[in-house]
Amino acid sequence: MNTIAEHIADFLKKYPPFDNLTFQELSEIATSIRVINLEKHKILFQINDVLHDSFYVVASGVVNLSVIADAEETLLNKCYEGDIFGLRPFFAKNNYQMTAKAREESIIYAIPIATFRPFVANNSEVLDFLLHSFASNTSNPADKENSSGKLLSDNVYFADQQSEIQYFQSLSYNVAPLTGTENTTVQEAAQQMTNSLSTSVLVCQNSLPIGIVTNTDMCSKIATGRFPINTTLDKIMSSPVVTVVENVSLAEAQLLMLKYNVTHLCVTQDGTDKSVVKGVISEHDLIVAQASNPGVLIKEIKRSQTPKDLKSIRERLTELVQKAIQKNIPISRVNILASEINLALIKRAVELSILDLGSPPARYAWLSIGSQGRREQLLTTDQDSMLIFEDVTAEKYRDVKDYFLKLGKRTTAILEKAGYEYCPFGHMASNMLWCKSLTDWTNQYQSWMNTPGENSNQLSSIFFDFEIVIGEKKIEEAIENVIFNNIKNNTLLFDFLGNEALRKNSPLTFFKKFHVEEKGPNKDKFDIKTRALMPLIDGARLFSLSHNMRGITSTYLRFKQLAIVDPRNSEIYINCSKAFIILSKFRTLEGLKNDSSGQYINLMELSKAEKEVLKNAFEPMEALEDLIKDKFQLTQFS
């Protein structure tokens, strides 16, 4: 193998999606790569150019991607070393929709699509990455269907849940497709396609699909004069059609289009061409679906400039959660996905505040506490946060604290406009009590933990559930160390937290009826948060602290881990983890239905079977209560 190809393979191996390929595969690809020297301001391709046979990777330099909208050039993206661009030939047949121009002298690798395609078809992670990159770089501001978000300054790839989310993400597609027979003329079909703005016509026989004619066929076979306009469809149709089932996922549809090199899929009742047509999925449908996938949402968050931008993404997250629930994706996985997006939204709010205020005068850590700290924030609940800044000299302290309080106030205000309500108890970084130096926070935690009864008016157990959003990881670790150093043999704290966990009112009355609200706006509704979820959340936290479990804040994962570290009681923990998932789903469905936090369940709207499921989910709570009483021998605060 020649040294240039070896050098290219070494370079590619460092960047996604090439890091998913073996060096052997990369070496094979590298031998057919062309190296292009692009001078400053030189254009590689521009809007309406015919598609190239390659896509591109920046080896060095910077390439700007721009579009012309309203007679004005708008920068969409800047591609730096290792970034991929020019993916349109992979996924679309129409001409380039943007211009790629060197911002400075650049070296570009041109990777032939014909060489790369087999590696994509065999590797879904590579495919996912290319699809996200393509979808994220196709938002043309002039395109009204895809007018979300502003400009992008960097390429980010959300690696964790991508393929998983794509496998459940459903598609909206044309459920009333154009159909014709073998004897329909091309002229008639073209007229129909023009009138209905359709890109295809299905050729059917006895309501079953036998072929398809697309825009591409019209261009390559009719416009070129190869066939006359009065030709019948059977002469130019592609046959057989590639068929799929009705609830095909986004990822499956993409893989099939790639595999068969087609631009349309025919949806039939049973997924074969021997059953009735239900619709047609086009490439455009896939691109539209991409607009609400997590990778794209994260990328849009990073380029958001206003609270309004963040709010629209927050609303699309709700749609994503709704689709996931409808597809029966486990709540534990949906939680991970939603918390990643929530985390990115909060981080962006902090970044926007820093852009206004100027650089922080000291290192700091912004932590989410409570439900987001546990990665359980699926719905639009309130904000909970704390801010820790590094210790500074006495003369600097006041100015530094003033800066971070301003940062807290500005950020929480942005988040409020984006749809996250203020915490009614003031547990936010904008509150001077929860924005202080590392030493002050260390003293605060030691005071809470060693004299809990005296500080019970301040001690909220949510301060033990936190996750860093932005800032210095070492500061978060320092607080974690304070907690675990003070927890050893701390019977007083466990006594306090144990009683806290048991203090929540029982979900059922003595006669096994639901304990409902007796007055107020939620009269006759069931408070699923306070009566059912909180006892489980508090119990999981209590036991995980007592077992010195670091770095696990999610209630579900805490129970799963407890079952491993305390095998004698594993059955109780496993049952509690299942109950937590069931109850979370009830709450989420209620919240989605009423655009609320889902805290209060309207029992009148539940079926008898659903009420039984809900009651059964309460059962493990009794065993958990008994375990708490037994393990912590509760006395002082009882």
Side-chain angles (χ1 to χ4, degrees):
M1 178 185 163
N2 69 48
T3 50
I4 295 176
E6 209 166 274
H7 174 74
I8 293 172
D10 273 332
F11 173 83
L12 293 176
K13 188 72 185 149
K14 292 188 288 191
Y15 299 100
F18 308 107
D19 53 358
N20 285 300
L21 299 173
T22 64
F23 191 73
Q24 186 60 45
E25 289 171 324
L26 285 173
S27 305
E28 207 177 308
I29 292 160
T31 52
S32 59
I33 286 176
R34 281 184 303 119
V35 180
I36 300 169
N37 288 303
L38 214 56
E39 290 165 27
K40 189 176 181 179
H41 302 318
K42 186 87 186 287
I43 288 172
L44 183 61
F45 56 77
Q46 58 190 2
I47 296 167
N48 285 330
D49 275 3
V50 174
L51 299 181
H52 298 179
D53 59 2
S54 302
F55 68 99
Y56 301 100
V57 179
V58 180
S60 67
V62 183
V63 174
N64 282 352
L65 301 180
S66 59
V67 292
I68 307 287
D70 306 324
E72 194 179 294
E73 186 172 23
T74 307
L75 182 66
L76 271 189
N77 207 339
K78 291 176 192 167
C79 298
Y80 299 94
E81 186 177 300
D83 284 344
I84 289 177
F85 67 99
L87 284 165
R88 182 160 285 273
F90 237 119
F91 301 109
K93 299 288 180 280
N94 51 341
N95 295 349
Y96 283 112
Q97 304 290 295
M98 57 178 71
T99 295
K101 187 200 293 188
R103 186 180 172 195
E104 57 191 57
E105 196 177 327
S106 304
I107 296 172
I108 311 295
Y109 293 150
I111 304 179
I113 283 165
T115 307
F116 199 68
R117 196 181 284 277
F119 297 100
V120 177
N122 298 331
N123 191 320
S124 63
E125 285 179 356
V126 174
L127 170 64
D128 282 342
F129 185 89
L130 295 184
L131 284 161
H132 299 145
S133 298
F134 176 58
S136 308
N137 286 328
T138 48
S139 345
N140 182 333
D143 175 357
K144 292 290 175 279
E145 285 183 328
N146 205 349
S147 58
S148 52
K150 283 209 180 61
L151 310 183
L152 192 54
S153 60
D154 57 349
N155 275 17
V156 63
Y157 176 56
F158 175 66
D160 300 342
Q161 276 69 45
Q162 287 295 45
S163 17
E164 176 145 16
I165 207 82
Q166 288 221 313
Y167 275 99
F168 75 71
Q169 198 171 335
S170 52
L171 278 166
S172 299
Y173 53 83
N174 182 0
V175 290
L178 286 182
T179 57
T181 66
E182 292 170 285
N183 301 323
T184 304
T185 67
V186 166
Q187 189 167 14
E188 290 169 324
Q191 196 62 57
Q192 279 184 302
M193 285 165 74
T194 305
N195 292 344
S196 62
L197 300 175
S198 176
T199 55
S200 66
V201 59
L202 276 172
V203 184
C204 295
Q205 197 176 57
N206 304 326
S207 300
L208 305 180
I210 57 167
I212 188 167
V213 173
T214 66
N215 269 352
T216 312
D217 295 316
M218 290 292 190
C219 294
S220 63
K221 295 171 186 174
I222 305 301
T224 54
R226 281 170 57 199
F227 293 87
I229 200 156
N230 57 1
T231 302
T232 50
L233 293 185
D234 60 324
K235 303 288 190 302
I236 68 161
M237 70 185 185
S238 302
S239 181
V241 283
V242 182
T243 52
V244 291
V245 287
E246 287 183 76
N247 63 346
V248 66
S249 73
L250 176 57
E252 290 161 325
Q254 287 158 340
L255 278 166
L256 285 167
M257 280 191 191
L258 256 181
K259 185 175 176 184
Y260 294 105
N261 198 17
V262 294
T263 56
H264 293 73
L265 301 171
C266 175
V267 182
T268 63
Q269 201 157 12
D270 68 0
T272 73
D273 57 6
K274 302 287 181 286
S275 69
V276 182
V277 171
K278 289 289 184 180
V280 166
I281 298 170
S282 70
E283 265 182 336
H284 180 71
D285 297 326
L286 299 193
I287 293 167
V288 169
Q290 287 287 341
S292 65
N293 94 17
V296 175
L297 289 187
I298 295 255
K299 214 164 186 184
E300 282 186 24
I301 290 166
K302 284 187 150 266
R303 68 189 189 218
S304 295
Q305 300 294 325
T306 65
K308 196 176 164 193
D309 294 341
L310 295 177
K311 186 174 181 145
S312 77
I313 295 166
R314 182 70 190 76
E315 285 161 359
R316 278 157 62 198
L317 168 59
T318 304
E319 287 167 33
L320 197 63
V321 169
Q322 197 146 17
K323 281 181 184 170
I325 303 280
Q326 283 164 358
K327 283 265 186 178
N328 275 326
I329 298 301
I331 282 272
S332 55
R333 295 188 190 168
V334 185
N335 269 335
I336 292 168
L337 165 82
S339 64
E340 280 294 339
I341 294 171
N342 275 317
L343 201 68
L345 282 161
I346 299 165
K347 184 179 181 185
R348 188 61 184 155
V350 179
E351 287 170 347
L352 291 175
S353 303
I354 289 172
L355 285 172
D356 279 346
L357 291 171
S359 298
R363 285 179 294 196
Y364 71 101
W366 181 290
L367 306 183
S368 270
I369 55 176
S371 59
Q372 175 60 26
R374 292 191 302 274
R375 295 184 151 243
E376 289 164 3
Q377 194 176 59
L378 277 181
L379 302 158
T380 43
T381 51
D382 57 352
Q383 307 177 37
D384 293 297
S385 56
M386 57 194 268
L387 204 156
I388 309 163
F389 52 89
E390 67 180 342
D391 292 322
V392 293
T393 55
E395 63 270 18
K396 279 191 189 169
Y397 182 86
R398 185 155 183 179
D399 287 345
V400 170
K401 175 145 184 167
D402 278 353
Y403 172 91
F404 284 111
L405 268 175
K406 279 182 194 153
L407 181 65
K409 287 192 166 69
R410 198 163 289 222
T411 302
T412 52
I414 288 174
L415 288 169
E416 196 266 339
K417 286 179 187 146
Y420 299 87
E421 288 177 18
Y422 288 125
C423 171
F425 307 108
H427 294 146
M428 294 180 295
S430 52
N431 180 340
M432 63 189 302
L433 283 174
W434 315 132
C435 169
K436 47 196 175 191
S437 71
L438 184 53
T439 294
D440 288 347
W441 268 115
T442 302
N443 295 336
Q444 176 74 79
Y445 271 94
Q446 284 173 335
S447 161
W448 274 338
M449 295 176 74
N450 297 318
T451 53
E454 294 165 36
N455 290 290
S456 56
N457 60 327
Q458 276 189 5
L459 172 57
S460 174
S461 46
I462 62 169
F463 284 96
F464 292 105
D465 303 334
F466 52 75
E467 176 178 44
I468 188 164
V469 174
I470 185 171
E472 291 285 324
K473 184 84 183 130
K474 285 196 170 129
I475 293 178
E476 181 197 33
E477 285 165 6
I479 288 296
E480 207 174 51
N481 289 336
V482 172
I483 290 171
F484 285 98
N485 289 340
N486 282 278
I487 209 103
K488 290 171 193 150
N489 308 318
N490 192 335
T491 48
L492 200 59
L493 178 70
F494 287 125
D495 204 6
F496 180 82
L497 291 176
N499 279 291
E500 276 285 286
L502 297 176
R503 203 165 282 150
K504 307 288 182 288
N505 297 324
S506 163
L508 297 176
T509 65
F510 180 75
F511 298 105
K512 301 294 177 201
K513 295 243 183 305
F514 286 97
H515 249 143
V516 294
E517 298 300 290
E518 290 173 9
K519 52 182 187 290
N522 297 298
K523 188 174 183 302
D524 297 330
K525 288 184 180 176
F526 175 66
D527 182 350
I528 195 167
K529 178 186 172 183
T530 311
R531 292 183 182 273
L533 284 163
M534 286 315 293
L536 290 171
I537 291 166
D538 290 343
R541 181 193 302 110
L542 174 66
F543 281 109
S544 69
L545 284 169
S546 76
H547 283 284
N548 264 304
M549 275 163 43
R550 285 182 181 237
I552 302 175
T553 53
S554 136
T555 302
Y556 174 73
L557 291 179
R558 276 172 169 169
F559 280 128
K560 297 292 257 187
Q561 188 65 22
L562 284 165
I564 296 166
V565 298
D566 182 12
R568 222 173 22 162
N569 298 303
S570 64
E571 196 181 338
I572 295 173
Y573 298 131
I574 296 281
N575 289 340
C576 285
S577 73
K578 288 176 183 167
F580 180 75
I581 293 297
I582 291 165
L583 295 167
S584 297
K585 190 162 183 179
F586 270 101
R587 181 180 179 179
T588 305
L589 288 170
E590 185 74 24
L592 290 170
K593 194 164 56 185
N594 300 304
D595 193 21
S596 68
S597 70
Q599 181 169 347
Y600 296 95
I601 304 280
N602 187 344
L603 297 168
M604 307 293 283
E605 291 175 4
L606 296 186
S607 66
K608 192 177 176 189
E610 285 169 328
K611 285 178 191 166
E612 279 309 303
V613 170
L614 196 49
K615 281 182 182 176
N616 290 340
F618 302 151
E619 282 179 14
M621 288 162 63
E622 281 185 44
L624 186 69
E625 279 184 22
D626 291 341
L627 193 60
I628 291 171
K629 287 174 189 165
D630 180 52
K631 182 167 171 68
F632 299 105
Q633 301 290 308
L634 303 179
T635 53
Q636 177 162 341
F637 299 100
S638 301

